[in-house]
Amino acid sequence: MNPLELRKQFPILHQEINGHPLVYLDNAATSQKPQSVIDAVKRYYERDNSNVHRGVHTLGSRATDAYEGARDKVAKFLNASSAQEIVFTRGTTAALNLVASSYARSVCGEGDEIVLTPMEHHSNLIPWQQAAKATGAVLKYIPLQPNGTISMADVEATITSRAKIVSVMYVSNVLGVINPVKEIAEVAHRHGAVMVVDGAQSTPHMKVDVRGLDCDFYAFSGHKMCGPTGIGALYGKKALLDGMEPVEFGGEMIDFVGLHESTWKEAPWKFEGGTPIIAGAVGLAAAIDFLTEVGLDAIDEHESKLAGYAYDRLSEIEGITVFGPKEGRVGLVTFNLGDVHPHDVATVLDTEGIAIRAGHHCCQPLMRRLEVSATARASFYLYNTEDDVERLAAALQKTKEFFGHAIG
């Protein structure tokens, strides 16, 4: 894998920001799009644009084939048993909300337990808070080790026979740790609970095998994996999806409609009311083709090396605190520079043409555990290089000199 050659396929990366060549290090928030994905969406609108499932004309048939073909492609990409286990959603947030609003509210009752971790993104926290309030269930949290990892001993101690749902992010968007979701799923199933995986930060960077993980639900977003915004998917084991009620009602998801009662289509279509995100699905399919051609194993290996290099390089700079373990992380490094607010750090870096993220990263409980209000985060993808890390390190040295009074 040659990141410099791959970079040529991303038009947005070939520009200057504030007089400097752009170094894009905000990939955990959203990735950039290769020309093949841009072309696929453009071609759909220019040639095939129509509503799906409803028309018998040529454009309608083309659009339906493209949309359902994208579902097939997602199923194969995740190693699902069937395309009927793939529900298209707006992204990870919508997918997790679907499980929390439908499945959780049907199985949870007073005193039942929903098990999470303190590192969860708000998208994998707030929906469960709402489900707990609606059902009387209790939220429990698997403790974190001092370095931010999860101990299987703590998993065994936290998940009990009262657990109905265990929901854990595969990869932390702050700490970069890869959680042992397969092992956690084994414990959850032993106690009769289902395993939900937030795959927002894992799907773009490593091979995902939902059957190998034996998770019951898996959620991800297209925009973090070279696809368009506004499209993602929920994988769910077919028996579970079949037993769930839809949470959005209207056209297309119905079987029969009477004046006082209606029935639904089978899964996954009963969860896709209204005109779906057709162009987004086309773009997601193109993104999957692109990532498959590059190779997820090659991407994983490249990012792991880059993350280790960045961890070491930033740790050499006096005054910088890097969060999370060095080993077993994906391609991101979260850090703070003395008492300088991360927003100030990001602003100065932007003047050097470097884009990073700053804030609480939708992980306020984790920020409190780290005893900070916010952090800065540099996140890498297949088009980033060690030269990008060097640009970041040099810019942080300048930032340190500029805010010298705030560096301990």
Side-chain angles (χ1 to χ4, degrees):
M1 193 188 93
N2 186 332
L4 291 177
E5 286 298 314
L6 289 172
R7 185 179 295 190
K8 295 177 182 178
Q9 300 184 49
F10 292 79
I12 198 171
L13 298 178
H14 306 293
Q15 62 176 298
E16 290 191 349
I17 300 294
N18 295 317
H20 300 275
L22 170 63
V23 173
Y24 185 77
L25 301 178
D26 196 18
N27 295 284
T30 196
S31 67
Q32 299 303 341
K33 321 305 172 191
Q35 190 65 53
S36 60
V37 171
I38 297 169
D39 288 345
V41 175
K42 181 173 180 285
R43 185 166 54 249
Y44 165 77
Y45 278 125
E46 288 180 340
R47 182 178 182 271
D48 302 327
N49 182 49
S50 177
N51 219 322
V52 296
H53 301 143
R54 306 170 189 175
V56 295
H57 55 74
T58 298
L59 295 187
S61 296
R62 284 181 191 165
T64 299
D65 288 346
Y67 183 70
E68 293 301 333
R71 195 190 309 275
D72 291 338
K73 195 155 288 187
V74 171
K76 183 178 179 181
F77 186 69
L78 298 180
N79 194 33
S81 297
S82 161
Q84 284 188 260
E85 295 183 319
I86 305 300
V87 180
F88 281 125
T89 69
R90 290 184 295 104
T92 308
T93 300
L96 293 168
N97 271 276
L98 173 57
V99 181
S101 298
S102 179
Y103 180 79
R105 298 191 190 208
S106 68
V107 302
C108 291
E110 194 76 30
D112 288 332
E113 295 173 351
I114 301 172
V115 180
L116 311 169
T117 79
M119 73 174 74
E120 299 308 317
H121 189 281
H122 296 165
S123 295
N124 198 35
L125 173 59
I126 299 172
W128 305 115
Q129 290 177 345
Q130 298 305 306
K133 289 178 181 178
T135 63
V138 177
L139 299 181
K140 287 182 69 177
Y141 291 89
I142 301 167
L144 300 185
Q145 297 299 300
N147 66 354
T149 60
I150 290 174
S151 158
M152 286 307 299
D154 287 332
V155 172
E156 294 277 4
T158 306
I159 300 174
T160 70
S161 60
R162 298 198 66 88
K164 294 291 186 181
I165 295 167
V166 179
S167 190
V168 177
M169 56 180 10
Y170 200 163
V171 169
S172 169
N173 67 313
V174 173
L175 301 172
V177 297
I178 303 171
N179 288 321
V181 294
K182 179 178 181 178
E183 291 79 7
I184 297 172
E186 291 174 358
V187 179
H189 292 155
R190 194 190 318 144
H191 290 284
V194 302
M195 181 70 189
V196 184
V197 178
D198 173 353
Q201 298 294 340
S202 51
T203 316
H205 308 289
M206 62 182 70
K207 274 187 178 177
V208 173
D209 180 348
V210 291
R211 282 190 280 177
L213 295 174
D214 197 21
C215 57
D216 299 286
F217 297 100
Y218 185 97
F220 74 94
S221 299
H223 72 95
K224 296 181 188 291
M225 50 183 285
C226 297
T229 56
I231 184 71
L234 171 70
Y235 157 80
K237 290 181 178 176
K238 190 173 185 303
L240 296 175
L241 292 178
D242 286 344
M244 289 166 53
E245 285 293 304
V247 296
E248 292 186 328
F249 305 91
E252 190 56 31
M253 50 77 66
I254 51 84
D255 178 29
F256 169 82
V257 176
L259 290 178
H260 301 286
E261 193 170 330
S262 301
T263 58
W264 324 128
K265 287 182 177 177
E266 60 183 331
W269 301 282
K270 66 180 176 179
F271 300 112
E272 297 177 6
T275 299
I277 313 156
I278 308 165
V282 169
L284 177 58
I288 288 174
D289 286 340
F290 175 80
L291 293 178
T292 301
E293 183 176 350
V294 175
L296 270 297
D297 287 338
I299 295 171
D300 188 6
E301 181 181 1
H302 170 69
E303 290 183 9
S304 295
K305 291 180 179 177
L306 203 56
Y309 182 78
Y311 189 101
D312 288 340
R313 192 69 183 85
L314 267 60
S315 297
E316 293 171 356
I317 301 174
E318 186 178 355
I320 284 187
T321 300
V322 181
F323 299 96
K326 177 182 177 181
E327 305 299 331
R329 64 162 54 230
V330 296
L332 67 85
V333 177
T334 302
F335 61 94
N336 273 344
L337 179 59
D339 293 329
V340 182
H341 195 282
H343 288 161
D344 293 330
V345 173
T347 299
V348 175
L349 293 184
D350 185 60
T351 66
E352 298 289 322
I354 301 171
I356 68 164
R357 180 71 33 171
H360 54 63
H361 314 295
C362 294
C363 290
Q364 289 185 356
L366 180 56
M367 293 294 110
R368 286 191 288 273
R369 187 190 179 282
L370 297 175
E371 298 182 343
V372 296
S373 61
T375 61
R377 182 185 70 196
S379 51
F380 313 102
Y381 207 17
L382 49 88
Y383 37 67
N384 291 120
T385 65
E386 289 186 359
D387 286 342
D388 294 336
V389 176
E390 288 301 325
R391 283 270 309 274
L392 172 65
L396 285 171
Q397 285 284 7
K398 287 186 178 181
T399 307
K400 177 182 173 182
E401 293 165 8
F402 185 81
F403 291 104
H405 65 282
I407 311 299

